[in-house]
């Protein structure tokens, strides 16, 4: 049974519960080129033209969940690996599986969060979520960002392995999810998460914002390799 430790923010009297058994979260950032271009590239070109930005959103979520829920976090930005290592003709699924294994090793992952800020990320959602379920059958797969928040029905149809979509800001909803005893039940009962059942019942999602900005720690830059962003 998991034991929880209460941590008090003395300045605002906010109490967070941190589980002594760490939840492992893997954030995956899909490539920012159309999936079709990756599958049928110009055979004379590589993907070195991809410009990858530091994943600020995932770094913010990482810092917040590590501070307030004691989570363990890994970040996999596929833009950097596609740009540096992928060649025309390589199989995307095999490439993705290798990068996931290289990132987390043999560690169990409890939650996979797909950061899909742009519509161009859509084509990668099925493979990322399916491979996550293949590696860890009981993993919770969630998505966030502009794409899933605005097109939840289309995304659920496209990627059946996604369990829920975060509506708006993800820091507090993710901490609540980490702390939940039954995560699937929590997703269905919480208004800041969109599930398939919510869409069928036409429930209106509600954003859950961080009210005290001082609760947000500095970005966890140590989770990424800055050398991979030297093109910025």
């Amino acid at each position: 049974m998991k034991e929880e430790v209460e941590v008090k923010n003395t300045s605002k009297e906010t109490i967070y519960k941190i589980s002594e058994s760490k939840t492992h979260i893997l954030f995956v950032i899909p490539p920012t080129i159309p999936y079709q271009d990756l599958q049928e590239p110009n055979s004379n070109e590589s993907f070195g033209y991809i410009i990858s930005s530091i994943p600020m959103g995932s770094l913010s979520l990482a810092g917040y969940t590590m501070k307030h829920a004691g989570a363990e976090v890994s970040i996999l930005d596929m833009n950097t690996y596609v740009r540096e290592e992928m060649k025309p003709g390589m199989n995307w699924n095999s490439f993705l599986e290798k990068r996931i294994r290289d990132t987390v090793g043999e560690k169990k992952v409890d939650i996979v969060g797909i950061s899909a800020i742009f519509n161009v990320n859509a084509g990668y959602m099925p493979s990322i979520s399916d491979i996550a379920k293949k590696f860890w059958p009981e993993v919770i797969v969630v998505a966030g960002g502009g794409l899933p928040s605005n097109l939840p029905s289309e995304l659920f149809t496209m990627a059946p392995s996604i369990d829920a979509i975060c509506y708006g800001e993800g820091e507090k909803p993710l901490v609540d999810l980490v702390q939940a005893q039954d995560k699937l039940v929590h997703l269905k009962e919480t208004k800041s998460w969109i599930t398939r059942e919510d869409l069928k019942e036409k429930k209106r999602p509600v954003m859950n914002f961080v009210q005290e900005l001082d609760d947000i720690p500095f970005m966890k830059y140590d989770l990424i390799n800055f050398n991979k962003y030297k093109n910025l």
Side-chain angles (χ1 to χ4, degrees), residues 32-33 47-55 77-84 224-232:
T32 54
I33 62 171
F47 300 101
Y49 61 87
I50 297 177
I51 298 177
S52 53
S53 299
I54 293 173
D77 185 352
M78 288 304 297
N79 287 285
T80 61
Y81 293 104
V82 168
R83 185 183 69 240
E84 295 179 358
I224 62 173
N225 181 353
F226 264 98
N227 291 328
K228 291 187 174 294
Y229 299 92
K230 58 187 177 182
N231 63 323
L232 296 180

Side-chain angles (χ1 to χ4, degrees), residues 156 162-164 184-185 187-189 193-204:
F156 280 135
I162 291 179
D163 295 299
L184 288 175
V185 170
L187 291 172
K188 294 176 183 177
E189 295 180 346
W193 292 99
I194 303 171
T195 64
R196 290 173 176 80
E197 290 77 10
D198 292 336
L199 294 180
K200 290 177 182 178
E201 297 172 10
K202 297 183 178 180
K203 292 182 180 179
R204 185 179 181 86

Side-chain angles (χ1 to χ4, degrees), residues 28-94:
V28 181
I29 297 94
T32 54
I33 62 171
Y35 182 71
Q36 188 68 19
D37 289 357
L38 198 69
Q39 295 300 296
E40 300 177 6
N42 184 326
S43 60
N44 297 320
E45 294 182 1
S46 66
F47 300 101
Y49 61 87
I50 297 177
I51 298 177
S52 53
S53 299
I54 293 173
M56 295 295 189
S58 295
L59 290 175
S60 177
L61 290 168
Y64 197 83
T65 52
M66 292 172 75
K67 176 181 179 180
H68 299 303
E72 177 183 357
V73 177
S74 302
I75 294 179
L76 174 58
D77 185 352
M78 288 304 297
N79 287 285
T80 61
Y81 293 104
V82 168
R83 185 183 69 240
E84 295 179 358
E85 300 177 14
M86 195 163 189
K87 306 298 181 185
M90 293 179 69
N91 180 273
W92 161 252
N93 282 13
S94 298

Side-chain angles (χ1 to χ4, degrees), residues 77-185:
D77 185 352
M78 288 304 297
N79 287 285
T80 61
Y81 293 104
V82 168
R83 185 183 69 240
E84 295 179 358
E85 300 177 14
M86 195 163 189
K87 306 298 181 185
M90 293 179 69
N91 180 273
W92 161 252
N93 282 13
S94 298
F95 186 75
L96 175 62
E97 288 186 11
K98 181 180 185 303
R99 294 314 320 171
I100 290 176
R101 281 303 186 199
D102 288 348
T103 299
V104 302
E106 297 301 317
K107 292 182 179 180
K108 178 179 178 289
V109 172
D110 302 291
I111 299 172
V112 169
I114 308 174
S115 176
I117 298 176
F118 307 108
N119 289 352
V120 74
N121 299 141
Y124 302 95
M125 306 300 277
S127 56
I128 295 173
S129 55
D130 286 348
I131 289 172
K133 294 285 189 179
K134 172 185 173 181
F135 282 172
W136 311 285
E138 297 181 358
V139 74
I140 301 293
V141 180
V142 296
L147 168 64
S149 288
N150 290 289
L151 298 171
S153 179
E154 291 80 358
L155 190 63
F156 280 135
T157 300
M158 177 185 296
S161 293
I162 291 179
D163 295 299
I165 292 167
C166 185
Y167 185 64
E169 190 175 279
E171 278 79 359
K172 291 189 71 175
L174 193 56
V175 164
D176 291 342
L177 178 61
V178 170
Q179 295 172 342
Q181 293 296 316
D182 189 323
K183 292 178 173 46
L184 288 175
V185 170

